[in-house]
Amino acid sequence: MSENASKPVLYFKKACPFCLKVRLFLWEARMMEEVEIRECEPGSKQESDIRAELAGHLDKVSFPAARLEPGRYIADSGEIIALLAAKSGCVPADMPVLASYIEGALKPMMKLWKENLELKAAAA
Ligand SMILES: N[C@@H](CCC(=O)N[C@@H](CS)C(=O)NCC(=O)O)C(=O)O
């Protein structure tokens, strides 16, 4: 078995803010070498191939997603981080870069995104 066969595989989509959250966790936990990352360009053939693979294992395909071991897939950035953290014994809540991204960028971005949706719906 190759070394990569035993590593969790992470599926990222370029420019996905939730994928960046997982990347920051990996970097801050010094786990970049412990996973294999497959990142796709939105709209690419690689994205279609990854979606086809994930669709066979997840109720709903979303990015990021992870294959923790053969046949065991999960999606949701928080869940992926929690499982990788448990594996390595690190505590995401104690990671200042990750916390700063979640609280300082991701949450406000999601709030604006939701407000934008509501405004569009009200204007329609
Ligand atoms: N709560 C999820 C949200 C993930 C999410 O909405 N990701 C977007 C990409 S930024 C997505 O997968 N959208 C649906 C799609 O591309 O099919 C998480 O934290 O992972």
Side-chain angles (χ1 to χ4, degrees):
M1 191 186 279
S2 74
E3 193 200 340
N4 271 358
S6 60
K7 287 184 179 182
V9 179
L10 296 181
Y11 303 88
F12 292 159
K13 191 162 70 167
K14 276 195 183 141
C16 159
F18 299 98
C19 301
L20 175 57
K21 177 179 155 188
V22 176
R23 256 190 205 281
L24 286 176
F25 163 78
L26 291 169
W27 173 78
E28 206 165 18
R30 298 169 196 256
M31 288 185 75
M32 290 296 278
E33 301 303 318
E34 292 171 41
V35 298
E36 179 189 335
I37 292 176
R38 295 186 193 162
E39 184 175 62
C40 60
E41 189 77 46
S44 64
K45 156 108 175 46
Q46 194 192 6
E47 183 189 1
S48 311
D49 291 346
I50 287 176
R51 281 183 182 280
E53 177 185 344
L54 296 176
H57 300 276
L58 295 170
D59 292 339
K60 185 178 180 298
V61 173
S62 68
F63 293 90
R67 186 184 76 187
L68 299 169
E69 55 199 54
R72 188 176 168 218
Y73 289 71
I74 56 168
D76 188 71
S77 56
E79 215 177 307
I80 293 168
I81 289 173
L83 280 160
L84 292 175
K87 200 173 161 197
S88 68
C90 61
V91 181
D94 292 345
M95 295 182 171
V97 176
L98 180 65
S100 169
Y101 173 67
I102 293 172
E103 295 302 321
L106 189 59
K107 268 193 188 163
M109 203 189 317
M110 288 304 107
K111 189 168 174 271
L112 287 172
W113 179 72
K114 278 185 189 145
E115 280 172 10
N116 191 35
L117 278 185
E118 285 162 12
L119 285 170
K120 277 183 179 165

